Amino acid sequence: MFDAYVIEVGDIAAGVIVKDGPRFTFCASDSNFSALDGRNFHNARDAEAAARRHFTGTRGRPARPPLAERMLGAR
């Protein structure tokens, strides 16, 4: 089993989940998924399902930048 997975929704790389103890933490790589940034999931399947639900429910709405971008600023 791997310690990190890329989560994709369609052709968009939504983010990466990284093993953090017994759970996986979501790190958004696309601003459309910034609301999921920092959330914990039991496994990759749960994270992917949440990303799909989020994307379907937020199309057309402005999104916050990913957490890393908010903390470090745009590069």
Side-chain angles (χ1 to χ4, degrees):
M1 180 171 265
F2 297 101
D3 288 336
Y5 298 90
V6 174
I7 302 296
E8 295 180 334
V9 176
D11 60 349
I12 300 170
V16 176
I17 56 169
V18 179
K19 185 92 167 134
D20 184 22
R23 298 188 180 220
F24 288 89
T25 301
F26 188 93
C27 302
S29 61
D30 184 287
S31 61
N32 289 309
F33 299 92
S34 61
L36 299 177
D37 213 24
R39 270 191 60 191
N40 292 312
F41 296 93
H42 292 288
N43 54 50
R45 189 172 305 199
D46 290 349
E48 183 177 8
R52 288 183 187 285
R53 283 192 308 272
H54 175 76
F55 187 68
T56 301
T58 61
R59 286 191 186 167
R61 296 184 201 161
R64 296 183 332 173
L67 179 60
E69 192 174 305
R70 292 191 315 265
M71 291 176 65
L72 303 173
R75 293 181 181 212

